[in-house]
Amino acid sequence: MGCDGGTIPKRHELVKGPKKVEKVDKDAELVAQWNYCTLSQEILRRPIVACELGRLYNKDAVIEFLLDKSAEKALGKAASHIKSIKNVTELKLSDNPAWEGDKGNTKGDKHDDLQRARFICPVVGLEMNGRHRFCFLRCCGCVFSERALKEIKAEVCHTCGAAFQEDDVIVLNGTKEDVDVLKTRMEERRLRAKLEKKPQDHQKLRQGNLKKPALILERRKTTWLPKAQVGPVVAVGSCLEKAGNPGG
């Protein structure tokens, strides 16, 4: 017995199996994270900056966002934690000599080479393409692979020699767990800076209040003290002059 077209249905056509889960193309996701600005979704161009959560941005896109924090911008949520330009660090990246993105073809047109990573680790030479964990230092902005950080343990930057602490190490495009740790550190760091700033503000305010009474007294002295002295001095002088000249 067949169907309307005279064909015999097969078992897999009649029995519905479990739906196939659509897998996200990890390669495309890596390309997006490491080659495009988180805010503008444009190709990353120098100067490139990174936030305290390890996301990559074009610096001009961050400046534009800070100048116009429009609620209509859907991508603005990705940078809601950036309150000022001080919350991002300009990165010192090492170019990959194998990258051909800046080379034109025979027609003179330029293209973006997304097959190779644009930047590499200056210490061990790994490509910054998402297949290897990379990080940067907030103190200097130098970027290198996590392998370099683990293999060559030091308290100074591998490339510029600047001293750093564990809190200065920011993982770029890390996992959800990495972002949670970085977010906690960011909040603690900002709270600490806020608490350190408050005593200074109170001290400045107190100093300003102490100066005001002294300034008021000084102004009063300059206004009425000379006038109070002029009258008695003249009067005493005239009396002495009369006492010395009785006939006058």
Side-chain angles (χ1 to χ4, degrees):
M1 184 177 66
C3 296
D4 295 339
T7 59
I8 300 175
K10 295 181 181 179
R11 183 178 183 279
H12 73 272
E13 294 175 347
L14 297 174
V15 180
K16 294 183 179 181
K19 294 182 180 180
K20 294 182 179 180
V21 179
E22 295 182 0
K23 295 182 179 179
V24 179
D25 189 349
K26 292 185 178 181
D27 291 337
E29 186 178 355
L30 290 176
V31 168
Q33 285 183 340
W34 294 92
N35 292 279
Y36 292 89
C37 170
T38 306
L39 261 178
S40 64
Q41 298 298 304
E42 296 179 354
I43 288 286
L44 287 170
R45 306 289 185 192
R46 279 190 173 97
I48 299 171
V49 298
C51 66
E52 295 171 276
L53 301 183
R55 295 167 184 155
L56 299 171
Y57 310 86
N58 286 327
K59 189 174 182 179
D60 57 350
V62 174
I63 294 174
E64 183 179 350
F65 166 75
L66 292 173
L67 293 176
D68 180 22
K69 291 184 178 180
S70 176
E72 298 177 356
K73 294 182 178 179
L75 296 174
K77 295 181 180 179
S80 59
H81 59 289
I82 301 177
K83 307 301 181 183
S84 72
I85 197 65
K86 294 181 180 179
N87 296 146
V88 296
T89 303
E90 187 168 336
L91 302 180
K92 299 175 183 176
L93 297 153
S94 301
D95 292 322
N96 183 5
W99 187 69
E100 299 180 352
D102 284 339
K103 297 180 181 179
N105 55 21
T106 55
K107 296 181 180 180
D109 298 327
K110 287 187 177 182
H111 68 285
D112 293 307
D113 184 7
L114 300 179
Q115 301 301 320
R116 297 182 180 87
R118 182 178 178 182
F119 307 109
I120 60 172
C121 172
V123 181
V124 295
L126 294 175
E127 290 191 350
M128 198 176 83
N129 53 14
R131 294 179 177 84
H132 309 283
R133 287 169 64 87
F134 269 70
C135 54
F136 76 95
L137 301 179
R138 289 193 313 113
C139 56
C140 59
C142 293
V143 179
F144 43 84
S145 64
E146 193 177 59
R147 182 186 297 182
L149 185 66
K150 292 180 178 179
E151 291 182 357
I152 309 174
K153 294 183 179 180
E155 296 180 354
V156 295
C157 177
H158 299 322
T159 54
C160 70
F164 70 92
Q165 299 177 352
E166 184 181 357
D167 186 59
D168 292 320
V169 181
I170 307 294
V171 178
L172 289 170
N173 290 327
T175 61
K176 183 181 181 300
E177 291 74 16
D178 292 328
V179 174
D180 290 340
V181 172
L182 292 174
K183 187 175 181 179
T184 302
R185 289 183 181 179
M186 177 187 71
E187 292 173 351
E188 291 176 352
R189 188 163 48 245
R190 293 185 180 183
L191 179 61
R192 188 164 57 249
K194 188 176 181 180
L195 294 175
E196 290 175 355
K197 186 179 179 181
K198 279 187 176 181
Q200 296 177 0
D201 293 340
H202 287 308
Q203 187 176 2
K204 288 180 181 178
L205 182 61
R206 185 178 179 185
Q207 290 176 352
N209 291 335
L210 289 174
K211 289 179 180 179
K212 286 181 181 179
L215 183 61
I216 293 172
L217 288 174
E218 187 66 26
R219 287 179 178 175
R220 287 181 178 177
K221 288 179 182 179
T222 55
T223 53
W224 60 266
L225 277 179
K227 292 181 180 179
Q229 291 176 354
V230 170
V233 170
V234 174
V236 171
S238 59
C239 292
L240 291 175
E241 187 176 354
K242 289 181 180 181
N245 298 319

